[in-house]
Amino acid sequence: AQKITQTQPGMFVQEKEAVTLDCTYDTSDQSYGLFWYKQPSSGEMIFLIYQGSYDEQNATEGRYSLNFQKARKSANLVISASQLGDSAMYFCAMREAGTYKYIFGTGTRLKVLA
Amino acid sequence: GAVVSQHPSRVICKSGTSVKIECRSLDFQATTMFWYRQFPKKSLMLMATSNEGSKATYEQGVEKDKFLINHASLTLSTLTVTSAHPEDSSFYICSARASGIMADTQYFGPGTRLTVL
C-alpha cells in the first residue's frame, strides 16, 4: 500500500535561515507524483511544489526546493531564507497510482522565530 | 491562475438541518473535484471524488446519503451535509484538478468551517 510519512510533527527555524522538512514515501509504482502544500492558520491549502517520479532535476519554486532522492524514497522540502510568514502546517502528498487521488502525510508544523 | 473558491467560509446550523457547500474553479475547468474533511490538527481525509456529469465515488466509511455530492458543471461541485449532527462539525475543503493542463496538481479551496449545534 502506498504511504506518506512525515516524522517531524513540529519544527522551529530562525528567520532568514534554511529549513528542511522531511517526507518519505512508499510505493511500488514507477510513475508517481509528489507534492508539498502549505496550510496557514486560515486553513487554505497552498500548492508549493511538485516533483514527478521521472523528473531528473530537483524541483524548485522560488525559495522552495524539493530534495528528491528516489532510491531512498524521500522528497524533502527545503525552504531557504525563512520568513515569519512561512509559519504554517506543511503537508507532503503523493498522487495515488492509477487515480488522481492524493495520499497525505500527517503534516509538519513549522514555526519561524524572529 | 488555478483559483478555487468555496462558499460559505463558515456556517453554523442547528442539528437536523442540511447545509450546502459550493466549490468553484474560477479560472479553469475541473474535470475532477475532491472533497476532504479535516479534524483539528489532523491531516486531510478524502471523502469523495466528484467527476463532472457522473456520480461521485465515495471513500470507504463515508455515507453517501449523508454527504450528497453533485458536480453539475466543469466549474462547480456541491457538497450537501444532510440532517447534520454535532459530530459532522468539521473543516471541509474541496480541491479541483485541471483538465488538459496542470493535470497532476490539485488546487484547493479556502475551506468551510461547519459547526452544528
Side-chain angles (χ1 to χ4, degrees):
Chain A
Q2 297 179 310
K3 189 178 179 182
I4 290 279
T5 302
Q6 293 180 257
T7 57
Q8 308 154 313
M11 291 278 287
F12 290 95
V13 65
Q14 206 66 40
E15 195 178 8
K16 300 180 185 177
E17 292 187 350
V19 63
T20 298
L21 306 183
D22 294 342
C23 173
T24 57
Y25 60 92
D26 191 15
T27 181
S28 56
D29 295 304
Q30 298 301 310
S31 177
Y32 50 89
L34 297 159
F35 306 80
W36 276 93
Y37 287 85
K38 171 185 178 182
Q39 188 178 40
S41 57
S42 58
E44 60 185 312
M45 292 282 284
I46 302 168
F47 167 67
L48 296 178
I49 199 165
Y50 164 76
Q51 180 85 40
S53 57
Y54 291 117
D55 295 341
E56 295 185 354
Q57 302 281 345
N58 284 344
T60 60
E61 288 288 346
R63 294 187 298 111
Y64 304 108
S65 60
L66 201 150
N67 184 359
F68 182 46
Q69 297 189 39
K70 198 169 182 177
R72 293 186 178 184
K73 294 187 175 179
S74 74
N76 299 337
L77 177 70
V78 180
I79 305 174
S80 62
S82 296
Q83 301 171 357
L84 296 178
D86 294 335
S87 294
M89 194 75 168
Y90 288 82
F91 289 99
C92 179
M94 178 168 62
R95 176 174 47 84
E96 190 179 81
T99 76
Y100 294 104
K101 297 196 292 187
Y102 282 7
I103 300 164
F104 280 92
T106 50
T108 296
R109 184 167 298 281
L110 177 67
K111 175 72 174 174
V112 180
L113 305 173
Chain B
V3 178
V4 177
S5 70
Q6 228 175 297
H7 178 80
S9 58
R10 188 178 294 267
V11 58
I12 301 172
C13 68
K14 291 183 178 180
S15 185
T17 60
S18 294
V19 175
K20 180 185 280 189
I21 302 169
E22 290 187 348
C23 178
R24 294 182 185 270
S25 57
L26 298 184
D27 53 1
F28 67 99
Q29 293 186 325
T31 308
T32 308
M33 289 184 171
F34 303 86
W35 286 95
Y36 294 85
R37 184 173 179 174
Q38 187 178 27
F39 292 102
K41 299 184 180 181
K42 297 292 184 182
S43 188
L44 279 73
M45 181 190 79
L46 179 65
M47 299 174 66
T49 302
S50 168
N51 291 297
E52 186 264 338
S54 63
K55 289 184 178 181
T57 303
Y58 291 83
E59 295 299 301
Q60 194 172 8
V62 177
E63 298 177 61
K64 61 179 181 180
D65 294 329
K66 179 158 190 65
F67 299 100
L68 299 179
I69 291 171
N70 183 271
H71 193 155
S73 74
L74 284 173
T75 59
L76 173 64
S77 176
T78 60
L79 168 68
T80 301
V81 183
T82 62
S83 187
H85 291 286
E87 57 266 28
D88 298 325
S89 298
S90 191
F91 188 65
Y92 293 87
I93 190 165
C94 72
S95 71
R97 181 183 75 86
S99 58
I101 55 172
M102 304 178 290
D104 246 6
T105 304
Q106 291 183 28
Y107 293 91
F108 285 80
T112 297
R113 192 162 301 282
L114 170 64
T115 302
V116 184
L117 303 176

